[in-house]
Amino acid sequence: MAHLLMVESWVGSMSRLLPRAIREAGHAFTFLTRDLHHYLRAAPEAAAHPLLGARHVLTAETNDAEALLPFVERAHAALRFDGVITSCDYYLPTAARIAGRLGLPGPTAESVGSACRKDLTRRVLADARVPGPRFAVCASLAEATDAARGLGFPLVLKPVDLCAGMFVRRVDDEAALARAHRALAGFPVNARGQRRDPVVLLEELLDGLEVSVETVSYGGTAHVVGVTDKSVGGAPAFIETGHMFPAALAAADAEAAVHTACAAVQALGLDEVVAHTEVKLTTDGPRVVEVNPRPAGNRITELVRHVTGVDLAAAAVDVALGRAPDLERRATGLSSAAIGFLVPETEGTLTQIAGAGQVRDAEGLLELQLAEPGRAVRAAGSNNEYLGHVMAGDADGPGARDRVEALLAVLGPQVEAAR
């Protein structure tokens, strides 16, 4: 039995999937956090949060890596860790630094740091000639305005250090650019209390279908698990409204996406890591959108598991321990699985979601998760405001997405406007 150090976590599904994978493999973990109540507030009703299944819970200031490293060294001397893991983007570089300091397996801190900063990713991939959009890194609105004139509208403005699509906006002119820049400047500290870098990334707007390539790297090789498709809405934001695995692509398109994603992972120097690399299949060929050095969010890992039997959360545990992961495909009875999200478009208080009973009894349903009445609702600006999701599978082919979209159409969120 191995003992892992888990440094913080996402509050969503990975806060349940990683503890489950650790437990099912017969291992144990110690949970290191600056604020345990951040997770307990999201605990399932009438159930202990899975993170409380930790052998130990340690409290320290995880936002101060320099002070944290000596603390973790002392904890390691007493508790003996075999690997370090996290699912939260904001702590991936810290986890990599800890693993390096303790001499434990894992990707290098440099490779993870470059993957977690969108501006550094762009520069590394450009130097390696991995195709991506034309871009500019801007320290001020004046710089961004000048760069936009050179790049040409329409563009995408991105923060370099946020995730879940937060403050990523399409901008079609200088007025829209100024609004998007001001909105981002008004969010100087992220949800974990970390001060943000005010630098912004401007990119040309890419056309074409967006997909993600799920890989597991170990032994210096990126092993491809598959390609997932993505639907996006909420313009001028870029909100993920659904996914299907495997993506319904022509073989040549799938091969191009895989080749580009693996080239990006290699260029960044990522190894002993599960990665989720987003690629646009443009009319000029595949272009890397971003590389995430952790398992995919939005329940994509569960889509993969339902179709292939491959557990990417378990693979993340294995590579964190320096072990070869089990990537053998198994018959599951499903050819495709898809998820669709209930994205709010109005603000107020949720009174009910009509149609839930009908969806709950639908053929092929894998998951139904819906927000409870009384929840405060705001129009979605990122992937953080969903009112729930529907997941379904298809045993006979790539019909899972159509099934999910039909079920989503049955659901009717009723929101009482704020007075």
PDB file of all heavy atoms in Angstrom, residues 46-69:
ATOM      1  N   ALA A  46     -25.906  14.707   3.976  1.00  0.00           N
ATOM      2  CA  ALA A  46     -26.003  13.518   4.838  1.00  0.00           C
ATOM      3  C   ALA A  46     -24.873  12.521   4.576  1.00  0.00           C
ATOM      4  O   ALA A  46     -25.007  11.330   4.801  1.00  0.00           O
ATOM      5  CB  ALA A  46     -27.345  12.824   4.662  1.00  0.00           C
ATOM      6  N   ALA A  47     -23.730  13.032   4.072  1.00  0.00           N
ATOM      7  CA  ALA A  47     -22.594  12.149   3.817  1.00  0.00           C
ATOM      8  C   ALA A  47     -21.304  12.900   4.104  1.00  0.00           C
ATOM      9  O   ALA A  47     -21.225  14.115   3.919  1.00  0.00           O
ATOM     10  CB  ALA A  47     -22.596  11.661   2.370  1.00  0.00           C
ATOM     11  N   ALA A  48     -20.312  12.180   4.586  1.00  0.00           N
ATOM     12  CA  ALA A  48     -19.004  12.786   4.802  1.00  0.00           C
ATOM     13  C   ALA A  48     -18.328  13.036   3.462  1.00  0.00           C
ATOM     14  O   ALA A  48     -18.458  12.236   2.530  1.00  0.00           O
ATOM     15  CB  ALA A  48     -18.142  11.866   5.664  1.00  0.00           C
ATOM     16  N   HIS A  49     -17.617  14.148   3.351  1.00  0.00           N
ATOM     17  CA  HIS A  49     -16.922  14.437   2.105  1.00  0.00           C
ATOM     18  C   HIS A  49     -15.818  13.397   1.896  1.00  0.00           C
ATOM     19  O   HIS A  49     -15.109  13.032   2.839  1.00  0.00           O
ATOM     20  CB  HIS A  49     -16.319  15.837   2.142  1.00  0.00           C
ATOM     21  CG  HIS A  49     -15.968  16.346   0.793  1.00  0.00           C
ATOM     22  ND1 HIS A  49     -14.917  15.838   0.051  1.00  0.00           N
ATOM     23  CD2 HIS A  49     -16.535  17.308   0.019  1.00  0.00           C
ATOM     24  CE1 HIS A  49     -14.851  16.468  -1.103  1.00  0.00           C
ATOM     25  NE2 HIS A  49     -15.820  17.356  -1.153  1.00  0.00           N
ATOM     26  N   PRO A  50     -15.651  12.888   0.665  1.00  0.00           N
ATOM     27  CA  PRO A  50     -14.614  11.876   0.409  1.00  0.00           C
ATOM     28  C   PRO A  50     -13.212  12.303   0.825  1.00  0.00           C
ATOM     29  O   PRO A  50     -12.386  11.459   1.152  1.00  0.00           O
ATOM     30  CB  PRO A  50     -14.714  11.652  -1.098  1.00  0.00           C
ATOM     31  CG  PRO A  50     -16.119  11.996  -1.434  1.00  0.00           C
ATOM     32  CD  PRO A  50     -16.493  13.127  -0.524  1.00  0.00           C
ATOM     33  N   LEU A  51     -12.944  13.606   0.800  1.00  0.00           N
ATOM     34  CA  LEU A  51     -11.619  14.065   1.217  1.00  0.00           C
ATOM     35  C   LEU A  51     -11.356  13.787   2.691  1.00  0.00           C
ATOM     36  O   LEU A  51     -10.207  13.711   3.125  1.00  0.00           O
ATOM     37  CB  LEU A  51     -11.450  15.557   0.915  1.00  0.00           C
ATOM     38  CG  LEU A  51     -11.384  15.916  -0.576  1.00  0.00           C
ATOM     39  CD1 LEU A  51     -11.453  17.420  -0.767  1.00  0.00           C
ATOM     40  CD2 LEU A  51     -10.112  15.362  -1.222  1.00  0.00           C
ATOM     41  N   LEU A  52     -12.433  13.625   3.465  1.00  0.00           N
ATOM     42  CA  LEU A  52     -12.272  13.293   4.876  1.00  0.00           C
ATOM     43  C   LEU A  52     -11.896  11.829   5.077  1.00  0.00           C
ATOM     44  O   LEU A  52     -11.655  11.392   6.208  1.00  0.00           O
ATOM     45  CB  LEU A  52     -13.554  13.614   5.653  1.00  0.00           C
ATOM     46  CG  LEU A  52     -13.886  15.095   5.773  1.00  0.00           C
ATOM     47  CD1 LEU A  52     -15.165  15.295   6.575  1.00  0.00           C
ATOM     48  CD2 LEU A  52     -12.740  15.866   6.422  1.00  0.00           C
ATOM     49  N   GLY A  53     -11.821  11.076   3.986  1.00  0.00           N
ATOM     50  CA  GLY A  53     -11.302   9.718   4.053  1.00  0.00           C
ATOM     51  C   GLY A  53      -9.784   9.680   4.124  1.00  0.00           C
ATOM     52  O   GLY A  53      -9.187   8.600   4.134  1.00  0.00           O
ATOM     53  N   ALA A  54      -9.152  10.847   4.180  1.00  0.00           N
ATOM     54  CA  ALA A  54      -7.696  10.923   4.286  1.00  0.00           C
ATOM     55  C   ALA A  54      -7.214  10.308   5.596  1.00  0.00           C
ATOM     56  O   ALA A  54      -7.882  10.390   6.621  1.00  0.00           O
ATOM     57  CB  ALA A  54      -7.241  12.379   4.204  1.00  0.00           C
ATOM     58  N   ARG A  55      -6.027   9.729   5.547  1.00  0.00           N
ATOM     59  CA  ARG A  55      -5.409   9.200   6.765  1.00  0.00           C
ATOM     60  C   ARG A  55      -5.097  10.341   7.729  1.00  0.00           C
ATOM     61  O   ARG A  55      -5.262  10.227   8.942  1.00  0.00           O
ATOM     62  CB  ARG A  55      -4.122   8.448   6.416  1.00  0.00           C
ATOM     63  CG  ARG A  55      -3.363   7.911   7.623  1.00  0.00           C
ATOM     64  CD  ARG A  55      -2.048   7.285   7.209  1.00  0.00           C
ATOM     65  NE  ARG A  55      -2.242   6.040   6.472  1.00  0.00           N
ATOM     66  CZ  ARG A  55      -1.231   5.328   5.949  1.00  0.00           C
ATOM     67  NH1 ARG A  55       0.022   5.780   6.042  1.00  0.00           N
ATOM     68  NH2 ARG A  55      -1.483   4.197   5.315  1.00  0.00           N
ATOM     69  N   HIS A  56      -4.630  11.462   7.186  1.00  0.00           N
ATOM     70  CA  HIS A  56      -4.350  12.663   7.972  1.00  0.00           C
ATOM     71  C   HIS A  56      -4.838  13.865   7.181  1.00  0.00           C
ATOM     72  O   HIS A  56      -4.838  13.854   5.948  1.00  0.00           O
ATOM     73  CB  HIS A  56      -2.856  12.852   8.238  1.00  0.00           C
ATOM     74  CG  HIS A  56      -2.155  11.644   8.764  1.00  0.00           C
ATOM     75  ND1 HIS A  56      -2.229  11.253  10.075  1.00  0.00           N
ATOM     76  CD2 HIS A  56      -1.357  10.731   8.130  1.00  0.00           C
ATOM     77  CE1 HIS A  56      -1.505  10.152  10.243  1.00  0.00           C
ATOM     78  NE2 HIS A  56      -0.977   9.815   9.082  1.00  0.00           N
ATOM     79  N   VAL A  57      -5.234  14.930   7.862  1.00  0.00           N
ATOM     80  CA  VAL A  57      -5.509  16.224   7.246  1.00  0.00           C
ATOM     81  C   VAL A  57      -4.534  17.230   7.843  1.00  0.00           C
ATOM     82  O   VAL A  57      -4.509  17.429   9.059  1.00  0.00           O
ATOM     83  CB  VAL A  57      -6.961  16.683   7.477  1.00  0.00           C
ATOM     84  CG1 VAL A  57      -7.170  18.084   6.904  1.00  0.00           C
ATOM     85  CG2 VAL A  57      -7.952  15.710   6.852  1.00  0.00           C
ATOM     86  N   LEU A  58      -3.706  17.821   6.992  1.00  0.00           N
ATOM     87  CA  LEU A  58      -2.719  18.805   7.423  1.00  0.00           C
ATOM     88  C   LEU A  58      -3.159  20.186   6.954  1.00  0.00           C
ATOM     89  O   LEU A  58      -3.645  20.343   5.831  1.00  0.00           O
ATOM     90  CB  LEU A  58      -1.346  18.486   6.828  1.00  0.00           C
ATOM     91  CG  LEU A  58      -0.777  17.087   7.096  1.00  0.00           C
ATOM     92  CD1 LEU A  58       0.582  16.937   6.421  1.00  0.00           C
ATOM     93  CD2 LEU A  58      -0.694  16.808   8.582  1.00  0.00           C
ATOM     94  N   THR A  59      -2.974  21.175   7.808  1.00  0.00           N
ATOM     95  CA  THR A  59      -3.323  22.552   7.457  1.00  0.00           C
ATOM     96  C   THR A  59      -2.055  23.387   7.373  1.00  0.00           C
ATOM     97  O   THR A  59      -1.250  23.412   8.307  1.00  0.00           O
ATOM     98  CB  THR A  59      -4.267  23.156   8.504  1.00  0.00           C
ATOM     99  OG1 THR A  59      -5.453  22.357   8.587  1.00  0.00           O
ATOM    100  CG2 THR A  59      -4.659  24.572   8.109  1.00  0.00           C
ATOM    101  N   ALA A  60      -1.882  24.047   6.243  1.00  0.00           N
ATOM    102  CA  ALA A  60      -0.735  24.930   6.039  1.00  0.00           C
ATOM    103  C   ALA A  60      -1.099  25.913   4.939  1.00  0.00           C
ATOM    104  O   ALA A  60      -2.075  25.714   4.202  1.00  0.00           O
ATOM    105  CB  ALA A  60       0.508  24.137   5.660  1.00  0.00           C
ATOM    106  N   GLU A  61      -0.302  26.976   4.799  1.00  0.00           N
ATOM    107  CA  GLU A  61      -0.567  27.984   3.769  1.00  0.00           C
ATOM    108  C   GLU A  61      -0.044  27.482   2.430  1.00  0.00           C
ATOM    109  O   GLU A  61       1.126  27.663   2.084  1.00  0.00           O
ATOM    110  CB  GLU A  61       0.091  29.312   4.150  1.00  0.00           C
ATOM    111  CG  GLU A  61      -0.158  30.438   3.148  1.00  0.00           C
ATOM    112  CD  GLU A  61      -1.610  30.551   2.728  1.00  0.00           C
ATOM    113  OE1 GLU A  61      -2.396  31.163   3.470  1.00  0.00           O
ATOM    114  OE2 GLU A  61      -1.957  30.006   1.646  1.00  0.00           O
ATOM    115  N   THR A  62      -0.930  26.825   1.691  1.00  0.00           N
ATOM    116  CA  THR A  62      -0.538  26.221   0.420  1.00  0.00           C
ATOM    117  C   THR A  62      -0.304  27.250  -0.679  1.00  0.00           C
ATOM    118  O   THR A  62       0.190  26.895  -1.758  1.00  0.00           O
ATOM    119  CB  THR A  62      -1.600  25.206  -0.047  1.00  0.00           C
ATOM    120  OG1 THR A  62      -2.889  25.838  -0.024  1.00  0.00           O
ATOM    121  CG2 THR A  62      -1.625  23.994   0.883  1.00  0.00           C
ATOM    122  N   ASN A  63      -0.667  28.506  -0.437  1.00  0.00           N
ATOM    123  CA  ASN A  63      -0.432  29.550  -1.435  1.00  0.00           C
ATOM    124  C   ASN A  63       0.971  30.146  -1.338  1.00  0.00           C
ATOM    125  O   ASN A  63       1.323  30.995  -2.152  1.00  0.00           O
ATOM    126  CB  ASN A  63      -1.467  30.666  -1.287  1.00  0.00           C
ATOM    127  CG  ASN A  63      -2.830  30.258  -1.811  1.00  0.00           C
ATOM    128  OD1 ASN A  63      -2.965  29.222  -2.464  1.00  0.00           O
ATOM    129  ND2 ASN A  63      -3.849  31.050  -1.535  1.00  0.00           N
ATOM    130  N   ASP A  64       1.747  29.734  -0.341  1.00  0.00           N
ATOM    131  CA  ASP A  64       3.118  30.221  -0.169  1.00  0.00           C
ATOM    132  C   ASP A  64       4.064  29.033  -0.320  1.00  0.00           C
ATOM    133  O   ASP A  64       4.400  28.349   0.647  1.00  0.00           O
ATOM    134  CB  ASP A  64       3.281  30.865   1.209  1.00  0.00           C
ATOM    135  CG  ASP A  64       4.652  31.498   1.404  1.00  0.00           C
ATOM    136  OD1 ASP A  64       5.566  31.229   0.603  1.00  0.00           O
ATOM    137  OD2 ASP A  64       4.831  32.244   2.391  1.00  0.00           O
ATOM    138  N   ALA A  65       4.486  28.776  -1.554  1.00  0.00           N
ATOM    139  CA  ALA A  65       5.278  27.573  -1.834  1.00  0.00           C
ATOM    140  C   ALA A  65       6.600  27.584  -1.086  1.00  0.00           C
ATOM    141  O   ALA A  65       7.069  26.534  -0.624  1.00  0.00           O
ATOM    142  CB  ALA A  65       5.515  27.444  -3.334  1.00  0.00           C
ATOM    143  N   GLU A  66       7.224  28.741  -0.957  1.00  0.00           N
ATOM    144  CA  GLU A  66       8.531  28.791  -0.295  1.00  0.00           C
ATOM    145  C   GLU A  66       8.430  28.380   1.165  1.00  0.00           C
ATOM    146  O   GLU A  66       9.286  27.659   1.684  1.00  0.00           O
ATOM    147  CB  GLU A  66       9.130  30.191  -0.420  1.00  0.00           C
ATOM    148  CG  GLU A  66       9.445  30.605  -1.840  1.00  0.00           C
ATOM    149  CD  GLU A  66      10.356  29.619  -2.556  1.00  0.00           C
ATOM    150  OE1 GLU A  66      11.287  29.092  -1.920  1.00  0.00           O
ATOM    151  OE2 GLU A  66      10.124  29.375  -3.757  1.00  0.00           O
ATOM    152  N   ALA A  67       7.385  28.837   1.851  1.00  0.00           N
ATOM    153  CA  ALA A  67       7.189  28.444   3.248  1.00  0.00           C
ATOM    154  C   ALA A  67       6.654  27.023   3.356  1.00  0.00           C
ATOM    155  O   ALA A  67       6.907  26.325   4.345  1.00  0.00           O
ATOM    156  CB  ALA A  67       6.235  29.420   3.939  1.00  0.00           C
ATOM    157  N   LEU A  68       5.930  26.580   2.337  1.00  0.00           N
ATOM    158  CA  LEU A  68       5.299  25.258   2.376  1.00  0.00           C
ATOM    159  C   LEU A  68       6.317  24.127   2.247  1.00  0.00           C
ATOM    160  O   LEU A  68       6.171  23.077   2.884  1.00  0.00           O
ATOM    161  CB  LEU A  68       4.260  25.157   1.254  1.00  0.00           C
ATOM    162  CG  LEU A  68       3.440  23.860   1.196  1.00  0.00           C
ATOM    163  CD1 LEU A  68       2.577  23.708   2.438  1.00  0.00           C
ATOM    164  CD2 LEU A  68       2.572  23.849  -0.058  1.00  0.00           C
ATOM    165  N   LEU A  69       7.345  24.333   1.437  1.00  0.00           N
ATOM    166  CA  LEU A  69       8.294  23.246   1.174  1.00  0.00           C
ATOM    167  C   LEU A  69       8.962  22.725   2.444  1.00  0.00           C
ATOM    168  O   LEU A  69       9.013  21.507   2.658  1.00  0.00           O
ATOM    169  CB  LEU A  69       9.325  23.691   0.140  1.00  0.00           C
ATOM    170  CG  LEU A  69       8.792  23.833  -1.295  1.00  0.00           C
ATOM    171  CD1 LEU A  69       9.831  24.489  -2.191  1.00  0.00           C
ATOM    172  CD2 LEU A  69       8.393  22.483  -1.869  1.00  0.00           C
TER     173      LEU A  69
END
